[in-house]
């Protein structure tokens, strides 16, 4: 298989560029060496920081083989190559390892600078540096061009999936879903993981769950925080769900064939506890991709330049592991001082870096951010989101659906738990409650009836008792939440108007006053 960047590499070498860096994961080593061996006509050698031995790269029985000609360990490999002056191309792995400060040592930088100039006197010697993550210091940027071993294309993924998982792909839909889950994995890693799981998985759904778990576990080991799959789906947000469905469809490989790409993201705005975070989890679940939770406040560091490096790492990991959902919860709380210099301008620099990334990125990273106070966010950042949706308090029909989905977790029953008259009483009592507060009431009810020795049995009185113990945020923080709801017209609604049997009939303003005036007029006559 011809790798896309190999032609660029050959072009650089033909142009007398003798020192080149390639960014590629460790799982791709044999794939890279195979490509180099196929493309280059001069002897090919390999060295890495682990073995520290010069090995000859050759082909044996249609596979790559590394042959140790001299068991002498070579610590300073650059000096060894330049002093021995052996014609050939040397592939060096691990020579650009950085320290705890994410920087290359001054000694190593000096050695690479010297190597660049010495190589100009050795026309038949070439050096290729391969590294999992590359971030060259400014001194080396003009001297060492960097090539990136890109992730496999959709077509390549489809070929690999078809060759390894053919027994699972009995329907086109199954093949398309599996291809989608495999996006974001390098070629060699994809082959390893598919081969590892194919024998232990019963069907394609089981295989997709295993792959998704693997991707989440892999990124958690890099210090990133992931949110679990939702235990319930958001209820009563039909318009928001329709938006997410359309956006999810654009992640399909077929959409890319028509030049369509995943939207930049969606901003969910509304009072606390209305289901915004749950909707983000649901979106990631529908896409079949991990949900990376980013804490804007934790990116900041007192060390000079560390805040920017933290954000760079986060964004790089999103792009390297796309498709992925990047989730910012309570986004507005992180931008209190974004336009001031009180913190040395750190907040402003981070905001500007994120703005640029959201505008320029091409990887399928779907950004979902939630906020309570939209006016706290920089206007430039708000414009980066394709859609702004207002998630309000649930109407009566939505509250009933929310109750039912949570009741089913603790009180499973084939039939409705309550009569219509009981439902109306419960819905009226909870008309100011958020989904989070309803979930809390049901959980507390389940705990209480268990304590009373009647687990799995729930009455309307039990729920109303728990309702009496909850002070809704709409009452507790009435002024703040009303201020949020009063600006709802600036966004698209998350739910359609309630037209169910549970809807509260609309009343005309001053209806009672008008009726009293009519009654008084009749008496006068």
């Amino acid at each position: 298989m011809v790798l896309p960047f190999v032609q660029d590499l050959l072009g650089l070498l033909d142009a007398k560029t003798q020192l080149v860096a390639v960014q590629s994961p460790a799982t791709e080593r044999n794939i890279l060496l195979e490509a180099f061996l196929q493309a280059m006509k001069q002897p090919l050698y390999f060295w890495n920081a682990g073995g520290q031995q010069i090995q000859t790269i050759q082909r044996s029985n249609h596979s790559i083989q590394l042959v140790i000609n001299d068991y002498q360990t070579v610590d300073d490999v650059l000096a060894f190559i330049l002093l021995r002056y052996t014609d050939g191309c040397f592939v060096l792995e691990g020579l650009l390892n950085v320290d705890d400060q994410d920087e290359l040592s001054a000694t190593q930088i000096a050695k690479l600078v010297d190597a660049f100039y010495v190589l100009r006197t050795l026309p038949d010697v070439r050096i290729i540096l391969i590294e999992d993550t590359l971030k060259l210091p400014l001194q080396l940027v003009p001297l060492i061009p960097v090539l990136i071993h890109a992730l496999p294309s959709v077509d390549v993924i489809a070929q690999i999936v078809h060759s390894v998982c053919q027994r699972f792909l009995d329907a086109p839909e199954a093949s398309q879903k599996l291809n989608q889950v495999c996006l974001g994995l390098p070629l060699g890693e994809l082959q390893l993981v598919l081969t590892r799981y194919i024998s232990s998985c019963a069907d394609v759904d089981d295989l997709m769950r295993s792959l998704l778990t693997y991707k989440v576990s892999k990124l958690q080991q890099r210090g990133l925080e992931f949110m679990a799959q939702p235990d319930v789906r958001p209820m009563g947000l039909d318009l928001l769900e329709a938006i997410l469905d359309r956006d999810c469809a654009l992640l399909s490989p077929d959409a890319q064939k028509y030049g369509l790409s995943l939207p930049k993201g969606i901003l969910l705005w509304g009072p606390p506890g209305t289901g915004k975070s749950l909707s983000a989890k649901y979106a990631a679940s529908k896409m079949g991709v991990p949900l990376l939770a980013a804490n804007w406040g934790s990116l900041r560091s007192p060390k000079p330049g560390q805040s920017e490096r933290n954000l760079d790492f986060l964004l790089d990991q999103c792009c390297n592991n796309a498709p992925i959902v990047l989730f910012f919860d309570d986004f507005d709380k992180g931008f209190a001082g974004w336009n001031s210099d009180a913190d040395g301008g750190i907040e402003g620099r981070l905001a500007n870096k994120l703005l640029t990334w959201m505008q320029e990125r091409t990887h399928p990273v779907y950004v979902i951010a939630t906020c309570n106070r939209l006016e706290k966010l920089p206007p430039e950042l708000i414009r980066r989101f394709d859609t702004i949706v207002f998630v309000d308090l649930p109407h009566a029909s939505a509250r009933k659906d929310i109750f039912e989905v949570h009741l089913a977790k603790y009180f499973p029953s084939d039939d409705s738990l309550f009569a219509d008259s009981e439902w109306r009483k419960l819905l009226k009592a909870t008309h100011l409650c958020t989904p989070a507060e309803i979930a809390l009431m049901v959980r507390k009810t389940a705990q209480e009836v268990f304590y009373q020795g009647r687990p799995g049995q729930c009455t309307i009185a039990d729920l109303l008792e728990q309702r009496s113990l909850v002070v809704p945020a709409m009452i507790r923080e009435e002024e703040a939440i009303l201020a949020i709801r009063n600006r709802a017209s600036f966004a698209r609604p998350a739910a359609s108007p309630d037209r169910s049997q549970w809807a509260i009939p609309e009343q005309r303003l001053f209806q009672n006053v008008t009726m009293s005036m009519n009654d008084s007029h009749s008496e006068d006559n």
Side-chain angles (χ1 to χ4, degrees), residues 246-248 250 261-266 361 365-367 386-387:
R246 285 192 289 270
D247 289 352
C248 290
L250 295 176
S261 59
L262 195 65
K264 299 293 184 183
I266 183 171
R361 78 181 189 274
V365 180
Y366 191 69
V367 180
D386 297 273
T387 310

Side-chain angles (χ1 to χ4, degrees), residues 5-14 17 20 22 32-45 57 59 88-91 126-128 147:
F5 80 93
V6 171
Q7 293 300 324
D8 296 332
L9 175 63
L10 293 177
L12 287 172
L13 297 179
D14 289 342
T17 303
V20 181
V22 176
L32 288 185
L33 298 183
E34 172 75 31
F36 295 159
L37 191 61
Q38 181 179 351
M40 297 178 187
K41 298 178 181 179
Q42 62 182 150
L44 201 60
Y45 304 96
I57 304 172
R59 194 187 312 277
C89 181
F90 294 83
V91 181
R126 296 177 174 87
I127 296 177
I128 301 175
L147 298 175

Side-chain angles (χ1 to χ4, degrees), residues 70-86:
D70 186 350
Y71 285 90
Q72 173 189 0
T73 59
V74 179
D75 185 14
D76 192 348
V77 66
L78 287 176
F80 179 87
I81 294 171
L82 300 177
L83 292 175
R84 292 285 295 270
Y85 181 42
T86 300

Side-chain angles (χ1 to χ4, degrees), residues 249-514:
L250 295 176
L251 190 61
S252 165
D254 291 337
Q256 300 177 22
K257 296 178 181 178
Y258 296 95
L260 302 175
S261 59
L262 195 65
K264 299 293 184 183
I266 183 171
L267 181 61
L268 304 181
W269 168 37
T274 50
K276 300 185 294 296
S277 299
L278 180 62
S279 297
K281 293 182 181 181
Y282 178 68
S285 177
K286 287 181 69 67
M287 294 182 183
V289 300
L291 178 67
L292 174 58
N295 187 330
W296 186 254
S298 67
L299 295 174
R300 300 182 57 181
S301 171
K303 296 181 180 180
Q306 187 61 45
S307 300
E308 289 84 347
R309 283 196 291 269
N310 290 341
L311 181 57
D312 285 339
F313 177 77
L314 170 68
L315 301 181
D316 286 344
Q317 291 306 314
C318 287
C319 293
N320 291 338
N321 294 278
I324 197 170
V325 172
L326 175 58
F327 176 52
F328 290 99
D329 199 12
D330 292 331
F331 210 25
D332 47 330
K333 294 181 181 178
F335 288 89
W338 73 275
N339 58 351
S340 73
D341 292 326
D343 59 354
I346 292 176
E347 201 72 61
R349 291 197 298 272
L350 290 180
N352 289 330
K353 185 180 286 288
L354 180 64
L355 286 171
T356 302
W357 178 81
M358 290 186 66
Q359 181 65 31
E360 303 298 333
R361 78 181 189 274
T362 57
H363 297 81
V365 180
Y366 191 69
V367 180
I368 300 180
T370 69
C371 72
N372 300 328
R373 303 299 296 263
L374 189 68
E375 65 274 13
K376 297 289 186 181
L377 292 177
E380 300 91 336
L381 184 58
I382 295 175
R383 290 197 295 269
R384 295 299 190 272
F385 291 92
D386 297 273
T387 310
I388 302 175
V389 177
F390 188 81
V391 186
D392 202 356
L393 297 176
H395 51 56
S397 177
R399 292 198 301 279
K400 182 176 184 296
D401 291 339
I402 295 167
F403 266 113
E404 287 181 333
V405 76
H406 287 286
L407 285 168
K409 293 167 55 179
Y410 305 104
F411 309 100
S413 175
D414 295 334
D415 302 320
S416 178
L417 284 172
F418 312 122
D420 286 358
S421 58
E422 293 178 311
W423 273 118
R424 294 187 187 280
K425 188 175 182 180
L426 180 61
L427 297 179
K428 182 179 180 180
T430 57
H431 75 286
L432 293 179
C433 294
T434 66
E437 290 163 344
I438 291 174
L440 176 63
M441 289 177 211
V442 176
R443 179 165 59 85
K444 289 291 187 181
T445 298
Q447 294 172 349
E448 182 63 24
V449 297
F450 181 84
Y451 174 74
Q452 295 175 5
R454 48 189 184 94
Q457 303 176 29
C458 177
T459 67
I460 199 71
D462 294 322
L463 289 170
L464 291 173
E465 173 65 21
Q466 292 301 320
R467 167 62 187 90
S468 68
L469 301 177
V470 173
V471 179
M474 186 62 196
I475 297 176
R476 190 174 62 250
E477 303 170 18
E478 179 181 4
E479 184 176 346
I481 292 181
L482 282 177
I484 296 173
R485 299 181 75 192
N486 287 340
R487 299 169 61 89
S489 59
F490 293 103
R492 297 170 63 174
S496 301
D498 189 0
R499 306 187 189 283
S500 69
Q501 61 172 316
W502 314 105
I504 299 175
E506 294 185 3
Q507 297 182 352
R508 289 187 305 168
L509 193 62
F510 306 127
Q511 181 179 13
N512 294 333
V513 175
T514 304

